[in-house]
Amino acid sequence: MESEWKLAVIETDKIMDNILSRMGFGGASLGERLEKLTVASLPNIEEVKEAHKICSDIIHDPTYRLNFEEAKRVIIINEKALSDLQAL
């Protein structure tokens, strides 16, 4: 079950990266693209950065533990961001 939650978080991170890239936010990575955003362009930018960090932790630390509530929170953060960007 936890592996499915991790995969869901990774997929939402990829979607965020893809959307920001298509919207013209430059950068070699999602982290770089997120640095170009402000609270004016994305009200929950700090939460999105936190969600991206969780995804990076999942990818780079095989012992990272993710529970359902945290996975759900990350997905909701990205969903809100995509909605605010009018990408949903």
Side-chain angles (χ1 to χ4, degrees):
M1 204 64 127
E2 183 182 10
S3 62
E4 292 173 7
W5 301 333
K6 287 181 175 182
L7 183 59
V9 167
I10 292 167
E11 289 302 315
T12 61
D13 202 63
K14 286 180 185 178
I15 292 167
M16 179 65 71
D17 188 30
N18 189 295
I19 295 292
L20 291 178
S21 178
R22 287 182 181 194
M23 292 179 80
F25 291 97
S29 66
L30 177 56
E32 288 181 16
R33 284 187 251 291
L34 291 176
E35 289 304 318
K36 297 181 187 306
L37 293 166
T38 64
V39 174
S41 59
L42 187 59
N44 71 336
I45 184 60
E46 292 305 318
E47 289 178 311
V48 174
K49 287 178 182 178
E50 180 187 342
H52 176 59
K53 183 185 179 322
I54 291 169
C55 180
S56 293
D57 290 346
I58 290 168
I59 292 168
H60 298 292
D61 179 2
T63 64
Y64 186 85
R65 304 298 299 174
L66 181 73
N67 63 43
F68 175 74
E69 289 304 316
E70 187 175 34
K72 182 177 161 184
R73 187 174 67 83
V74 167
I75 292 167
I76 289 170
I77 287 168
N78 282 321
E79 183 179 49
K80 180 181 182 332
L82 292 171
S83 179
D84 288 345
L85 291 168
Q86 298 179 342
L88 283 183

